[in-house]
Amino acid sequence: MDKNTGDAIDTTVPHSARIWNYWLGGRDNYAVDRVAGDAFRARFPGITVGARAARYFLARAVRHLAGEAGIRQFLDIGTGLPSVDNTHEIAQRVAPDSRTLYVDKDPLVIAHARALLTSAPEGATQYLQADIREPETILERAAEHLDLDRPVALMLMGILGHIEDLDEARDLARRLVAGLPAGSYLVHYDSTSTSEDYVAAIEGYNAQAPVPYILRSPEELLPFYDGLELVEPGLSSCSRWRPDTLALGLPEEVHQYGAVARKP
């Protein structure tokens, strides 16, 4: 599910960023979020494994980019609540001079990020409250923190499912990538409609959620990478994207699909 849920902090109703945090074993959630998270998990027990697989995919992708690809700048849009191994932490373990700009429209997320996310002294970690539906504004403000003449890794992790219209979601991704130089990368995952039980659980969630999440097929996700060079193994179940020891114990197939692609 997407982790951008609104413009005001309200701890009396479930919040999808906090539910996701709960599924990942985090502490930044409340009883109401745990009740909602448990109810969703009762309908679809695989959600916790899927959340972990997506998180491990993020870690492996960032390690690849900061290591083999030599990327030193990360633009993480739709950040969600801080958890274990956030983008800047993984990048700075590989390259301490890495810079990360986190972007989210949700004030709750930004407040938590500012309180919990700190940078290695050699690099930098910044936060920006902005909406993915305004990509040019994000890029303009990102230029205050990142050098957009140098390659950037654009992280869209579980956020494009928040955009209900598929053509709009593809257009937003295209416009963001267009504002980055050659040699930049798109890192993306979203939950997919590859399980009837998952589809049913999401439909139940969307019936009550202020911000629905749209499941799409892997084939519908592929055009997000049009004009880009997919890094092997291409678009795949997150648990199958370059698995390592972190992926041990995960099933071969989860319903979160992701890829890393380079802008030529």
Side-chain angles (χ1 to χ4, degrees):
M1 284 185 293
D2 177 65
K3 301 176 283 300
N4 285 0
T5 58
D7 297 321
I9 297 175
D10 186 349
T11 61
T12 66
V13 297
H15 185 293
S16 66
R18 298 193 305 252
I19 295 170
W20 195 264
N21 177 270
Y22 171 53
W23 286 332
L24 287 171
R27 298 180 180 179
D28 295 302
N29 50 75
Y30 298 92
V32 65
D33 308 304
R34 295 189 286 274
V35 169
D38 288 341
F40 189 100
R41 186 160 49 193
R43 293 192 294 268
F44 184 72
I47 187 59
T48 303
V49 171
R52 287 173 52 211
R55 196 69 181 182
Y56 294 157
F57 163 70
L58 180 152
R60 296 193 301 278
V62 171
R63 284 203 305 271
H64 165 74
L65 292 174
E68 296 176 47
I71 297 296
R72 295 294 179 267
Q73 302 187 107
F74 296 82
L75 177 58
D76 190 333
I77 301 177
T79 305
L81 286 172
S83 186
V84 177
D85 280 348
N86 302 285
T87 297
H88 77 287
E89 294 170 320
I90 300 162
Q92 289 184 350
R93 285 190 202 123
V94 179
D97 60 335
S98 297
R99 303 176 65 87
T100 299
L101 176 62
Y102 290 108
V103 181
D104 205 296
K105 76 171 185 177
D106 193 326
L108 174 70
V109 169
I110 297 299
H112 277 265
R114 286 179 175 147
L116 298 176
L117 301 184
T118 58
S119 172
E122 300 91 336
T125 304
Q126 302 290 338
Y127 322 96
L128 172 62
Q129 186 173 343
D131 193 328
I132 191 174
R133 288 188 173 88
E134 299 177 348
E136 286 75 26
T137 298
I138 289 177
L139 290 166
E140 180 181 354
R141 296 182 65 186
E144 300 171 8
H145 306 285
L146 304 174
D147 181 356
L148 298 190
D149 291 326
R150 296 172 53 229
V152 175
L154 171 65
M155 317 285 292
L156 299 177
M157 312 301 279
I159 187 174
L160 292 176
H162 167 63
I163 309 300
E164 294 187 55
D165 183 82
L166 179 56
D167 288 337
E168 181 185 4
R170 291 172 177 169
D171 182 63
L172 292 174
R174 179 192 58 78
R175 288 156 64 189
L176 286 164
V177 171
L180 302 177
S184 293
Y185 286 82
L186 169 62
V187 185
H188 159 257
Y189 87 82
D190 266 305
S191 295
T192 64
S193 56
T194 48
S195 162
E196 292 183 2
D197 290 341
Y198 195 17
V199 170
I202 286 289
E203 288 175 349
Y205 170 82
N206 287 345
Q208 304 178 35
V211 179
Y213 188 89
I214 308 303
L215 297 178
R216 296 178 172 122
S217 70
E219 292 75 21
E220 288 176 311
L221 299 183
L222 269 174
F224 287 131
Y225 311 100
D226 283 352
L228 305 178
E229 300 168 346
L230 283 165
V231 174
E232 290 294 333
L235 179 65
S236 62
S237 175
C238 283
S239 56
R240 295 187 182 196
W241 197 91
R242 300 193 175 196
D244 58 15
T245 54
L246 282 177
L248 292 177
L250 292 177
E252 289 188 5
E253 185 81 9
V254 296
H255 305 294
Q256 287 69 31
Y257 272 59
V260 177
R262 182 180 182 274
K263 181 177 180 179

